[in-house]
Structures are given as C-alpha cells and as structure tokens.
Amino acid sequence: MADTLLTTMTVADLAKCIKAKDVSPVDVVEAFIKQTTATEPLLNAWITLIPDQARAAAKQAEAEIAAGNYKGPLHGIPVGLKDLFWTKGVRTTSGSAITKDFVPSEDATVVAKLQDAGAYAFGKTNMVEYAYGGSEHNAIYGAPKNPWKLDHVTGGSSSGSGAAVAAGQVPIALGSDTAGSVRAPAALCGLTGLKPTYGLVSRFGVSPLSWSMDHVGPLAHTAEDVAIAMNAMVGYDAKDPGSINHGLEDYVEALRNDFKGLRIGVLQDDFIWDVTLPEVKTAFDDAITLISGLGAATEPVYIGNLERLALAQVTITTAEANTYHHEMIQRAPELYHPVVRRRIEAGFFMPVAAYVQAQRVRALFEERYASLFATFDLLVAPTTPAPALEANGQSVRLPNGEMPSRETVRLTRIFNPNGLPAITMPTGFSKQGLPMAAQFIGKRFSDGLVIGAAHAYQQATDWHMRRPSI
Amino acid sequence: MSQPTLDKKTFLILARQAGFNPTDPHLDELFPEVQLMLERMEMLFDSPVDGFEPGYRSPESEV
C-alpha cells in the first residue's frame, strides 16, 4: 500500500488493515516517518522525535500480531504526545527552557494505558510553554505552522499535536485542555478533538497548568478515532487526586447513537455571536440545519452571564498556575517566555477574594448547567470565533471591532470550570481554505453521547475527510 | 464589593513584598498586565452569587 495513502488514513482504517495483515505495523511506522521527514522542516510540530524507539515498538507489534496476539484497534498505531506527558527515558520539556532536560523515570498513566492497548509513542509534540495560552508563545522551540496554510497559526496550547495529525505525521495525538487547548488546535487544523469529563482520564504524569481545570484528550481525524482512543485512556487512577471511578463505557459502541430524539440547545448568547465571524456562523447554521434534518430537536437557548464564567476561568487559572510555578518563576524568571512570565507573575498580585469569588461563580454555573441539561441532551456552539489567524497577528478584525488573538479560546474556556465533556468537529472551510468548527457539549459523564453526536454528524458530511496538500 | 484599581506606587510596594526588585525594568511591563487583571476582576465582584459557596460540585455528580 502506498505510503501517502497510509498517512491519510484514520486510526480505524489503519487498524482494519493491520488486523487483516494487509499492512504491517512496520509499514505504518515507515510511512509516517517518511511523511514527518518530508514535512517537519515546514511545520515545526515536534520537540522530540524518537524514530528508533518507534521502529522498535512497531516491530514488536508486528511480532505480537503475527503470533496471534492482536490487542485491538490501537495495536501498532503511532501516537504523538504533547510534550507535557511524561515518557520514561524520553525528555519531557513542557515547552520550556527550565525543564528542557527533564527525563521522567516513568510514563504518564494515560501513556502507559495507550501502550497497554498496543499503541506506541512516535515523539513529543510542540506546545505553548507550560500550556499557558491559546497562541503560540514558545521562546525556545518556536511556533508550529498550520498545515492548511503555513503562514497561519495552529492554535494552542496543543499546537504541535494539531499540526502533526493534520499533516499526516501521525494519525492521532494527545493534548491537554484547560481553556480549549485540545479543541482550539483541533478546530483550526480541521480535526476532531475531545475534552472529556473532568476526572475521567488520569492526569498523573501530566505537567499541570490549573489542577482543577486540566483535562487530557485526543486529537484525531474522526469521532470514531476519538472513541477508539478513549476506550483505552479512561479509567480510575489512584495516583491522580482528581480521578473519578465512574465505571467504564464502550465509546465505540456509543457510535451507534444518532440524532433521532436528541434535544439540542443551540447557544445564542451575545458573548458568542458578538465576536464570531459571519462565515463561521454560516457554516454553523448549515450544520444545525443538517442536524435538525437528521432528527434532532434543536432549540435556541441562552446560558447567560458568560463573561463572568470566562473571567472565573481566567482567574482560577491565574491563581493555580501562579501557585504551581511559585518557586520556579522566582528562581529563574528570565527563562520563561515574556508573555507566559507576565501571566504567571500577575498571580502574585491577585486578591484572595478574587479566587474565592471565581469559585462562587463556578458554583453558580453548576446550577445553570444542571438546569440546561434537564431540558437538553446536548448544547452546541462554534468552537472558535474565527478560522486560524495569520501568524504574528495580534488581533482579528470583526464586524464590530478587533478581537485579540488570545480570544481564540473564548468559546471553549466556558466549559472547563464545570468539567463538561466537549468535542469539536469540522463544519466547513473558509474562503481562504481554512477549517471552521463547532463543538457539542454534554453533561458530565455523557462523553459517549457527545462523541456519538459528532460521529453521526460526520456520517452525513465529509469535512473531516479533507486533508491539506502538504 | 469591588476592588480598588492599583496605582503604580502601591504596585511597587506589593511587588517588593512579593520578592521583586522594585528597580527591575521588567516591572514596567508587568504593571499594565496586573492593572488589566484587577480591572477585569471587578466583574467577578458584581456577579449574582448570593447563596453560592465556593465548593463547586461533588466530584462524582452529574450536572
């Protein structure tokens, strides 16, 4: 099978070929290494590549499968890991000069779980320094480029994971999401990305940004691939204080769900639509029309007070990030990117009452979301207000003014404080040829429903099947 | 309840207490960031949270 075909395939399709022994895991890894070698000079998607280890893992998978020990759809699949996931014996920089030589002595739980399912690490993807930002602030490793348009950003903070999957360097990657750091790069790179329910996927061995809002999730081409990954990633972990023992769900089985009978609230808040570009709205409206036609009962709904919820998210992050970095930033402030440094240092000046007040706003929205999910199965909103911005652009022009580039995660951060599952999927392409996206949001532990809705949408569209011509 | 805006003199006092060297030119860049943060946070103190305590959820509860 041609290498170029292999690198455009989904995990599900690669798995079928591997299981049927039409291709071997060694063929697969060589195809992805070839694609990475050809495209990485243009993209800068990786901090550390480990081709020798990847080849060895692929060879081992080949031997296991040949011996009749096929482990399932991740067996022999290479995975990109955002460089804040601990990898035993492989440096884990968190995108920073400070931890540039940190070599963990064990794997993050989620990395170990993926390996147990037969997947293996292909390398460590580039990221915003310490995952603190939706733009590409990285002093040492530089910013990844968007495979759809190289002079445009990928979104962050899982920027390299977005670029690597979109460019066919790996079929799937992991990211972390505190304000939208899985969903924004997935959206801007034309991918499907999930922020699972808080506590469902272990954060042990994942460098923190904001303990109470950090989520680990996959970026892939399809909701089906997200489901396959989640089946391996989910599970209680006593080593993660936020881990929740909620039992296991078969997310692949949940793909059988469709839109019939689902009640979906279409968000109408000015907080969302005042900043969203008309072409994003047009694509979103088309998606809602389609979903309605597929049997969902869609209805406009307002959440209300979203400015305050967004501010609470920012406040909690500032306080928790300052606490985590407290010693390091006092010891070596000059080693931080100037933007990241200022964000963390601002926390030294935050009134204690602001953090407590932010937690009260969070509690307020527990009740508000509970009320909404008593009426609706899912909510839906655009993922980002605009397609990928030009690199180094500080703002995007909107009909009613300019929006700072940091607002890329404006529409995603409002679902982090309450730990809700949210999945982004492509809904079209802009006039410039850049992906646009929408997100489904569900109540906690409705991850299967959320993934199933994205899959049902993708069964009726082909946006997720397009690939950049890189 | 709202937070008073921060003037430069108070900022430098607080900066010294936090361990910064008040003559460090970096503080000129940090000051507007802190001012902006505090201005934005005023909205938090104007939120309809009467009756809501900061413990936000039972970890295992569904919304």
Side-chain angles (χ1 to χ4, degrees), chain A residues 153-196:
Chain A
V153 302
T154 56
S157 63
S158 310
S159 43
S161 292
V165 178
Q169 296 181 331
V170 276
I172 189 165
L174 291 191
S176 61
D177 189 318
T178 307
S181 288
V182 164
R183 287 163 290 155
L188 300 185
C189 292
L191 303 174
T192 307
L194 174 72
K195 178 186 86 66

mmCIF file of all heavy atoms in Angstrom, chain A residues 153-196:
data_model
loop_
_atom_site.group_PDB
_atom_site.id
_atom_site.type_symbol
_atom_site.label_atom_id
_atom_site.label_comp_id
_atom_site.label_asym_id
_atom_site.label_seq_id
_atom_site.Cartn_x
_atom_site.Cartn_y
_atom_site.Cartn_z
ATOM 1 N N VAL A 153 -1.585 30.365 12.166
ATOM 2 C CA VAL A 153 -1.324 29.648 13.417
ATOM 3 C C VAL A 153 -2.121 28.336 13.458
ATOM 4 O O VAL A 153 -3.085 28.148 12.709
ATOM 5 C CB VAL A 153 -1.692 30.506 14.647
ATOM 6 C CG1 VAL A 153 -0.928 31.818 14.645
ATOM 7 C CG2 VAL A 153 -3.196 30.753 14.734
ATOM 8 N N THR A 154 -1.688 27.482 14.374
ATOM 9 C CA THR A 154 -2.408 26.218 14.597
ATOM 10 C C THR A 154 -3.414 26.345 15.737
ATOM 11 O O THR A 154 -4.279 25.496 15.905
ATOM 12 C CB THR A 154 -1.431 25.109 15.029
ATOM 13 O OG1 THR A 154 -0.733 25.583 16.192
ATOM 14 C CG2 THR A 154 -0.433 24.791 13.951
ATOM 15 N N GLY A 155 -3.269 27.392 16.552
ATOM 16 C CA GLY A 155 -3.992 27.436 17.824
ATOM 17 C C GLY A 155 -3.223 26.619 18.851
ATOM 18 O O GLY A 155 -2.358 25.799 18.509
ATOM 19 N N GLY A 156 -3.537 26.872 20.112
ATOM 20 C CA GLY A 156 -2.790 26.169 21.144
ATOM 21 C C GLY A 156 -3.668 25.876 22.342
ATOM 22 O O GLY A 156 -4.864 26.112 22.291
ATOM 23 N N SER A 157 -3.109 25.271 23.363
ATOM 24 C CA SER A 157 -1.670 25.118 23.507
ATOM 25 C C SER A 157 -1.135 23.809 22.921
ATOM 26 O O SER A 157 0.076 23.651 22.795
ATOM 27 C CB SER A 157 -1.289 25.173 24.991
ATOM 28 O OG SER A 157 -1.883 24.091 25.693
ATOM 29 N N SER A 158 -2.016 22.882 22.547
ATOM 30 C CA SER A 158 -1.544 21.614 21.954
ATOM 31 C C SER A 158 -1.280 21.831 20.466
ATOM 32 O O SER A 158 -1.796 21.112 19.596
ATOM 33 C CB SER A 158 -2.583 20.511 22.178
ATOM 34 O OG SER A 158 -2.982 20.439 23.522
ATOM 35 N N SER A 159 -0.447 22.827 20.181
ATOM 36 C CA SER A 159 -0.251 23.301 18.805
ATOM 37 C C SER A 159 0.412 22.251 17.917
ATOM 38 O O SER A 159 -0.024 22.019 16.782
ATOM 39 C CB SER A 159 0.584 24.579 18.836
ATOM 40 O OG SER A 159 1.659 24.455 19.755
ATOM 41 N N GLY A 160 1.445 21.609 18.419
ATOM 42 C CA GLY A 160 2.139 20.602 17.620
ATOM 43 C C GLY A 160 1.284 19.373 17.372
ATOM 44 O O GLY A 160 1.353 18.755 16.299
ATOM 45 N N SER A 161 0.465 19.006 18.355
ATOM 46 C CA SER A 161 -0.426 17.849 18.165
ATOM 47 C C SER A 161 -1.396 18.114 17.024
ATOM 48 O O SER A 161 -1.669 17.232 16.200
ATOM 49 C CB SER A 161 -1.185 17.550 19.464
ATOM 50 O OG SER A 161 -0.309 17.074 20.462
ATOM 51 N N GLY A 162 -1.932 19.348 16.963
ATOM 52 C CA GLY A 162 -2.852 19.704 15.875
ATOM 53 C C GLY A 162 -2.167 19.656 14.525
ATOM 54 O O GLY A 162 -2.669 19.065 13.564
ATOM 55 N N ALA A 163 -0.975 20.263 14.444
ATOM 56 C CA ALA A 163 -0.252 20.304 13.160
ATOM 57 C C ALA A 163 0.144 18.900 12.714
ATOM 58 O O ALA A 163 0.018 18.549 11.537
ATOM 59 C CB ALA A 163 0.989 21.181 13.302
ATOM 60 N N ALA A 164 0.620 18.084 13.655
ATOM 61 C CA ALA A 164 1.147 16.753 13.301
ATOM 62 C C ALA A 164 0.051 15.836 12.751
ATOM 63 O O ALA A 164 0.255 15.137 11.750
ATOM 64 C CB ALA A 164 1.804 16.114 14.525
ATOM 65 N N VAL A 165 -1.117 15.843 13.382
ATOM 66 C CA VAL A 165 -2.200 14.966 12.900
ATOM 67 C C VAL A 165 -2.743 15.486 11.563
ATOM 68 O O VAL A 165 -2.946 14.716 10.625
ATOM 69 C CB VAL A 165 -3.326 14.838 13.950
ATOM 70 C CG1 VAL A 165 -4.464 13.968 13.402
ATOM 71 C CG2 VAL A 165 -2.787 14.238 15.246
ATOM 72 N N ALA A 166 -2.935 16.798 11.477
ATOM 73 C CA ALA A 166 -3.478 17.360 10.226
ATOM 74 C C ALA A 166 -2.561 17.076 9.045
ATOM 75 O O ALA A 166 -3.025 16.831 7.932
ATOM 76 C CB ALA A 166 -3.690 18.865 10.392
ATOM 77 N N ALA A 167 -1.256 17.082 9.288
ATOM 78 C CA ALA A 167 -0.291 16.899 8.195
ATOM 79 C C ALA A 167 0.002 15.427 7.910
ATOM 80 O O ALA A 167 0.824 15.118 7.046
ATOM 81 C CB ALA A 167 1.010 17.622 8.544
ATOM 82 N N GLY A 168 -0.634 14.526 8.640
ATOM 83 C CA GLY A 168 -0.396 13.104 8.386
ATOM 84 C C GLY A 168 0.945 12.621 8.911
ATOM 85 O O GLY A 168 1.488 11.623 8.446
ATOM 86 N N GLN A 169 1.479 13.314 9.926
ATOM 87 C CA GLN A 169 2.726 12.844 10.541
ATOM 88 C C GLN A 169 2.455 11.720 11.537
ATOM 89 O O GLN A 169 3.307 10.882 11.802
ATOM 90 C CB GLN A 169 3.433 14.012 11.244
ATOM 91 C CG GLN A 169 3.894 15.112 10.279
ATOM 92 C CD GLN A 169 4.602 16.237 10.999
ATOM 93 O OE1 GLN A 169 4.331 16.517 12.171
ATOM 94 N NE2 GLN A 169 5.505 16.910 10.308
ATOM 95 N N VAL A 170 1.292 11.770 12.148
ATOM 96 C CA VAL A 170 0.759 10.684 12.991
ATOM 97 C C VAL A 170 -0.757 10.682 12.792
ATOM 98 O O VAL A 170 -1.344 11.718 12.442
ATOM 99 C CB VAL A 170 1.037 10.880 14.505
ATOM 100 C CG1 VAL A 170 2.404 10.392 14.916
ATOM 101 C CG2 VAL A 170 0.811 12.317 14.930
ATOM 102 N N PRO A 171 -1.407 9.545 13.034
ATOM 103 C CA PRO A 171 -2.864 9.522 12.840
ATOM 104 C C PRO A 171 -3.641 10.052 14.046
ATOM 105 O O PRO A 171 -4.839 10.340 13.931
ATOM 106 C CB PRO A 171 -3.160 8.030 12.635
ATOM 107 C CG PRO A 171 -2.054 7.320 13.338
ATOM 108 C CD PRO A 171 -0.847 8.205 13.252
ATOM 109 N N ILE A 172 -2.982 10.170 15.196
ATOM 110 C CA ILE A 172 -3.673 10.615 16.411
ATOM 111 C C ILE A 172 -2.621 11.172 17.374
ATOM 112 O O ILE A 172 -1.451 10.766 17.329
ATOM 113 C CB ILE A 172 -4.468 9.447 17.048
ATOM 114 C CG1 ILE A 172 -5.368 9.957 18.183
ATOM 115 C CG2 ILE A 172 -3.564 8.314 17.499
ATOM 116 C CD1 ILE A 172 -6.432 8.934 18.611
ATOM 117 N N ALA A 173 -3.063 12.105 18.218
ATOM 118 C CA ALA A 173 -2.140 12.679 19.202
ATOM 119 C C ALA A 173 -2.918 13.026 20.463
ATOM 120 O O ALA A 173 -4.148 13.144 20.440
ATOM 121 C CB ALA A 173 -1.459 13.927 18.636
ATOM 122 N N LEU A 174 -2.165 13.195 21.552
ATOM 123 C CA LEU A 174 -2.782 13.631 22.812
ATOM 124 C C LEU A 174 -2.495 15.103 23.048
ATOM 125 O O LEU A 174 -1.435 15.609 22.689
ATOM 126 C CB LEU A 174 -2.232 12.841 23.997
ATOM 127 C CG LEU A 174 -2.581 11.370 24.131
ATOM 128 C CD1 LEU A 174 -2.161 10.865 25.511
ATOM 129 C CD2 LEU A 174 -4.067 11.128 23.914
ATOM 130 N N GLY A 175 -3.458 15.752 23.695
ATOM 131 C CA GLY A 175 -3.268 17.126 24.139
ATOM 132 C C GLY A 175 -3.830 17.282 25.530
ATOM 133 O O GLY A 175 -4.366 16.342 26.121
ATOM 134 N N SER A 176 -3.714 18.478 26.064
ATOM 135 C CA SER A 176 -4.364 18.803 27.333
ATOM 136 C C SER A 176 -5.169 20.074 27.137
ATOM 137 O O SER A 176 -4.844 20.892 26.268
ATOM 138 C CB SER A 176 -3.328 18.989 28.444
ATOM 139 O OG SER A 176 -2.459 20.058 28.124
ATOM 140 N N ASP A 177 -6.249 20.212 27.914
ATOM 141 C CA ASP A 177 -7.234 21.269 27.651
ATOM 142 C C ASP A 177 -7.655 21.897 28.976
ATOM 143 O O ASP A 177 -8.375 21.294 29.761
ATOM 144 C CB ASP A 177 -8.441 20.632 26.938
ATOM 145 C CG ASP A 177 -9.444 21.644 26.399
ATOM 146 O OD1 ASP A 177 -9.737 22.612 27.111
ATOM 147 O OD2 ASP A 177 -9.948 21.443 25.269
ATOM 148 N N THR A 178 -7.177 23.135 29.214
ATOM 149 C CA THR A 178 -7.546 23.880 30.423
ATOM 150 C C THR A 178 -8.509 25.009 30.089
ATOM 151 O O THR A 178 -9.324 25.415 30.913
ATOM 152 C CB THR A 178 -6.274 24.448 31.100
ATOM 153 O OG1 THR A 178 -5.346 23.374 31.289
ATOM 154 C CG2 THR A 178 -6.581 25.112 32.427
ATOM 155 N N ALA A 179 -8.383 25.511 28.847
ATOM 156 C CA ALA A 179 -9.292 26.562 28.377
ATOM 157 C C ALA A 179 -9.781 26.283 26.956
ATOM 158 O O ALA A 179 -10.585 27.040 26.409
ATOM 159 C CB ALA A 179 -8.601 27.923 28.404
ATOM 160 N N GLY A 180 -9.249 25.215 26.367
ATOM 161 C CA GLY A 180 -9.581 24.903 24.975
ATOM 162 C C GLY A 180 -8.376 24.379 24.213
ATOM 163 O O GLY A 180 -8.382 24.331 22.978
ATOM 164 N N SER A 181 -7.363 23.953 24.924
ATOM 165 C CA SER A 181 -6.080 23.628 24.285
ATOM 166 C C SER A 181 -6.074 22.331 23.486
ATOM 167 O O SER A 181 -5.131 22.081 22.732
ATOM 168 C CB SER A 181 -4.968 23.584 25.329
ATOM 169 O OG SER A 181 -4.669 24.884 25.772
ATOM 170 N N VAL A 182 -7.110 21.501 23.615
ATOM 171 C CA VAL A 182 -7.319 20.414 22.657
ATOM 172 C C VAL A 182 -8.229 20.907 21.538
ATOM 173 O O VAL A 182 -7.941 20.751 20.340
ATOM 174 C CB VAL A 182 -7.949 19.167 23.331
ATOM 175 C CG1 VAL A 182 -8.513 18.195 22.288
ATOM 176 C CG2 VAL A 182 -6.916 18.447 24.191
ATOM 177 N N ARG A 183 -9.340 21.524 21.930
ATOM 178 C CA ARG A 183 -10.375 21.859 20.938
ATOM 179 C C ARG A 183 -9.955 22.964 19.972
ATOM 180 O O ARG A 183 -10.271 22.904 18.787
ATOM 181 C CB ARG A 183 -11.668 22.248 21.672
ATOM 182 C CG ARG A 183 -12.397 21.052 22.302
ATOM 183 C CD ARG A 183 -13.396 21.507 23.336
ATOM 184 N NE ARG A 183 -12.730 22.030 24.514
ATOM 185 C CZ ARG A 183 -13.237 22.894 25.368
ATOM 186 N NH1 ARG A 183 -14.455 23.362 25.156
ATOM 187 N NH2 ARG A 183 -12.555 23.303 26.417
ATOM 188 N N ALA A 184 -9.223 23.973 20.442
ATOM 189 C CA ALA A 184 -8.852 25.072 19.535
ATOM 190 C C ALA A 184 -7.887 24.606 18.442
ATOM 191 O O ALA A 184 -8.150 24.844 17.256
ATOM 192 C CB ALA A 184 -8.289 26.247 20.318
ATOM 193 N N PRO A 185 -6.768 23.944 18.774
ATOM 194 C CA PRO A 185 -5.914 23.469 17.682
ATOM 195 C C PRO A 185 -6.594 22.430 16.797
ATOM 196 O O PRO A 185 -6.359 22.404 15.582
ATOM 197 C CB PRO A 185 -4.683 22.886 18.390
ATOM 198 C CG PRO A 185 -5.047 22.762 19.818
ATOM 199 C CD PRO A 185 -6.148 23.725 20.089
ATOM 200 N N ALA A 186 -7.445 21.587 17.397
ATOM 201 C CA ALA A 186 -8.185 20.636 16.561
ATOM 202 C C ALA A 186 -9.068 21.397 15.581
ATOM 203 O O ALA A 186 -9.118 21.085 14.382
ATOM 204 C CB ALA A 186 -9.025 19.701 17.439
ATOM 205 N N ALA A 187 -9.764 22.414 16.065
ATOM 206 C CA ALA A 187 -10.670 23.183 15.207
ATOM 207 C C ALA A 187 -9.905 23.905 14.097
ATOM 208 O O ALA A 187 -10.301 23.881 12.926
ATOM 209 C CB ALA A 187 -11.447 24.199 16.049
ATOM 210 N N LEU A 188 -8.808 24.537 14.447
ATOM 211 C CA LEU A 188 -8.082 25.351 13.466
ATOM 212 C C LEU A 188 -7.291 24.498 12.480
ATOM 213 O O LEU A 188 -6.860 24.994 11.441
ATOM 214 C CB LEU A 188 -7.149 26.335 14.191
ATOM 215 C CG LEU A 188 -7.853 27.332 15.133
ATOM 216 C CD1 LEU A 188 -6.857 28.330 15.708
ATOM 217 C CD2 LEU A 188 -8.994 28.072 14.437
ATOM 218 N N CYS A 189 -7.087 23.226 12.824
ATOM 219 C CA CYS A 189 -6.361 22.315 11.922
ATOM 220 C C CYS A 189 -7.290 21.310 11.228
ATOM 221 O O CYS A 189 -6.814 20.380 10.573
ATOM 222 C CB CYS A 189 -5.274 21.576 12.695
ATOM 223 S SG CYS A 189 -3.935 22.641 13.263
ATOM 224 N N GLY A 190 -8.610 21.458 11.384
ATOM 225 C CA GLY A 190 -9.551 20.594 10.667
ATOM 226 C C GLY A 190 -9.713 19.215 11.268
ATOM 227 O O GLY A 190 -10.021 18.252 10.558
ATOM 228 N N LEU A 191 -9.524 19.102 12.589
ATOM 229 C CA LEU A 191 -9.554 17.791 13.248
ATOM 230 C C LEU A 191 -10.744 17.669 14.191
ATOM 231 O O LEU A 191 -11.490 18.622 14.416
ATOM 232 C CB LEU A 191 -8.262 17.589 14.048
ATOM 233 C CG LEU A 191 -6.965 17.690 13.247
ATOM 234 C CD1 LEU A 191 -5.761 17.612 14.187
ATOM 235 C CD2 LEU A 191 -6.881 16.593 12.186
ATOM 236 N N THR A 192 -10.876 16.473 14.763
ATOM 237 C CA THR A 192 -11.850 16.198 15.804
ATOM 238 C C THR A 192 -11.085 16.089 17.116
ATOM 239 O O THR A 192 -10.076 15.380 17.180
ATOM 240 C CB THR A 192 -12.575 14.869 15.506
ATOM 241 O OG1 THR A 192 -13.101 14.939 14.169
ATOM 242 C CG2 THR A 192 -13.710 14.626 16.483
ATOM 243 N N GLY A 193 -11.533 16.803 18.142
ATOM 244 C CA GLY A 193 -10.804 16.794 19.413
ATOM 245 C C GLY A 193 -11.766 16.789 20.581
ATOM 246 O O GLY A 193 -12.778 17.484 20.556
ATOM 247 N N LEU A 194 -11.438 16.005 21.582
ATOM 248 C CA LEU A 194 -12.333 15.836 22.741
ATOM 249 C C LEU A 194 -11.678 16.322 24.029
ATOM 250 O O LEU A 194 -10.537 15.951 24.331
ATOM 251 C CB LEU A 194 -12.702 14.359 22.915
ATOM 252 C CG LEU A 194 -13.517 14.020 24.171
ATOM 253 C CD1 LEU A 194 -14.954 14.521 24.044
ATOM 254 C CD2 LEU A 194 -13.503 12.530 24.463
ATOM 255 N N LYS A 195 -12.413 17.136 24.767
ATOM 256 C CA LYS A 195 -12.114 17.378 26.181
ATOM 257 C C LYS A 195 -13.083 16.503 26.952
ATOM 258 O O LYS A 195 -14.274 16.787 26.981
ATOM 259 C CB LYS A 195 -12.346 18.843 26.544
ATOM 260 C CG LYS A 195 -12.086 19.145 28.008
ATOM 261 C CD LYS A 195 -12.460 20.569 28.366
ATOM 262 C CE LYS A 195 -13.906 20.725 28.732
ATOM 263 N NZ LYS A 195 -14.285 20.033 29.979
ATOM 264 N N PRO A 196 -12.591 15.408 27.551
ATOM 265 C CA PRO A 196 -13.517 14.519 28.256
ATOM 266 C C PRO A 196 -14.008 15.148 29.557
ATOM 267 O O PRO A 196 -13.496 16.184 29.982
ATOM 268 C CB PRO A 196 -12.657 13.287 28.571
ATOM 269 C CG PRO A 196 -11.374 13.455 27.840
ATOM 270 C CD PRO A 196 -11.211 14.916 27.594
#
